[in-house]
Amino acid sequence: MRTVDLFVIGAGSGGVRAARIAAGYGARVIVAEEYRVGGTCVIRGCVPKKLLVYASRFSDAFTDAKGFGWELGARPSFDWASLIAAKNTEIDRLEGAYGATLDGAKVEVIRDRAVLETAKTVRLVGSGEIIRAETILIATGGAPLREAGFPGAELCITSNEAFDQPALPRRVAVVGGGYVALEFATIFSGLGAETTVVYRGPEILRGFDDEIRAHLRSEMMARGVKFRLNATIERLEKTPDGLSCTFAGGDVAMFDAVMLAIGRLPATQGLGLEKAGVALGPLGEVLVDHMSRTSVENIYAVGDVTDRIALTPVAIREGHAFADTVFGGRPTKVDHTTVATAVFAEPETAWVGLGEEQARAAHRVVDIYRARFRPMKATLSGRQTRTLMKIVVDGETDRVLGLGMVGADAGEIVQMAAVALTLGARKADLDATMALHPSAAEEFLTMRTRAERHVRD
Ligand code: NDP
């Protein structure tokens, strides 16, 4: 029986980083991957999504160009098949690069499904080989939730299939009000599909700052995305004219595709975790401590499978910290606070730190600074759009608790603002920073007048 120091199950963001760093410390490492090297982010998540978001933004750019003197001649047309082929080429390239990185690090990659036999042995399902490992890392990620609880839900697609539809659906419903729903609604709508977001609650993006949520929705509506709020689907049926969708209350609408974007579940089924004694949480997530160690001493888990914060950079950081801790002799904890995040909708939306409601629940005095303005580009394009920027400050210490925006380049801007928050910036530090003009980002530095102060008794 072969023996390795580390066996990683899953070659996604967290698993690849952990394997490479551990091998750098001299560990003999095998990674097993049943699908494609790169994981959700590279193969069917962040990367292809962002490429499609770029594609979807051209429709606005063509419209806006006129105000800047451009005459585009014949109406631009869009070819879904070309976009998907180009996207596939890039994903293949990235998958190759991930593989080459692992090869270069002397990590063996086995294209097979691996399951735990015991706490120290792994079985490869295809070949039947059993491999012994001193340490096992579970980095299997997550998968889209498909159980939507209405008849006909099996007719829906998820983000897994959305990238590879044979054609752009003409009429699309996206169920859910989170990241995936809003990003795909942006893509479909920007590419020309009639798009409806079906969300069960009163406002999209639960958990985000309330003003940001409302502002994003109104901006998306201005760009033609329809929203059905407080809406649930009662049943979905296939008809010659497409999918007939009956909503609770009796309304019926026809779509060519209905996409479920109702969350993701940790991929832990059938891995043999229970047999090995690894404790799981209610969603099937692997329970870990602050060092990513499971209930079994030599088994660790990182990334989406642990259901901490389901973001690629977090998985990478967790994988790296695990390798430093276990193979590098440097115990390293991951700080899960102050994680910036963006929704690549149109307009882009990003936040770091506490939203107003969270801040008011946690702090006695909270000051709000806000700027709502017409972006410079809209002056000539004539587009009816407003950027919203907001800063949430602890009124007692002047510490910036959170900030974010809805507007062009929000992700890029908020990423850098996250540095300031990580360093413990005060509002006075933002005020003291010289602005870069003309930019939208400078508004975060020039909001001098407090919009509101909220004091809790
Ligand atoms: P989210 O948890 O963000 O959103 C799920 C949405 O579906 C919510 O609006 C939720 O409503 C709704 N929902 C849940 N269950 C049901 C149901 N049974 N019927 C109808 N609606 C339902 O999940 P996503 O899939 O959008 O994304 C998963 C995670 O992946 C995110 O949390 C994020 O961490 C990550 N991600 C990050 C991206 C980025 O950084 N840009 C992009 C994509 C994903 P409610 O709010 O009422 O619970």
Side-chain angles (χ1 to χ4, degrees), residues 49 176-180 183 199-200 206 261-264 310-311 342 344:
K49 175 276 306 287
Y179 288 79
V180 174
E183 292 179 343
Y199 177 53
R200 64 183 178 181
R206 187 167 60 83
I262 58 174
R264 298 175 59 84
L311 296 173
F344 292 99

Side-chain angles (χ1 to χ4, degrees), residues 145-158 173-176 198-200 231-238 243-249 251 253 255 257-262:
L145 177 60
R146 287 178 191 267
E147 281 95 64
F150 56 83
E154 69 284 354
L155 299 169
C156 296
I157 57 170
T158 69
V174 183
V175 185
V198 180
Y199 177 53
R200 64 183 178 181
T232 49
I233 296 177
E234 213 161 70
R235 65 176 181 279
L236 195 63
E237 290 154 307
K238 204 170 190 165
L243 297 171
S244 167
C245 182
T246 307
F247 292 94
D251 254 16
F255 301 106
V258 177
M259 174 173 164
L260 293 177
I262 58 174

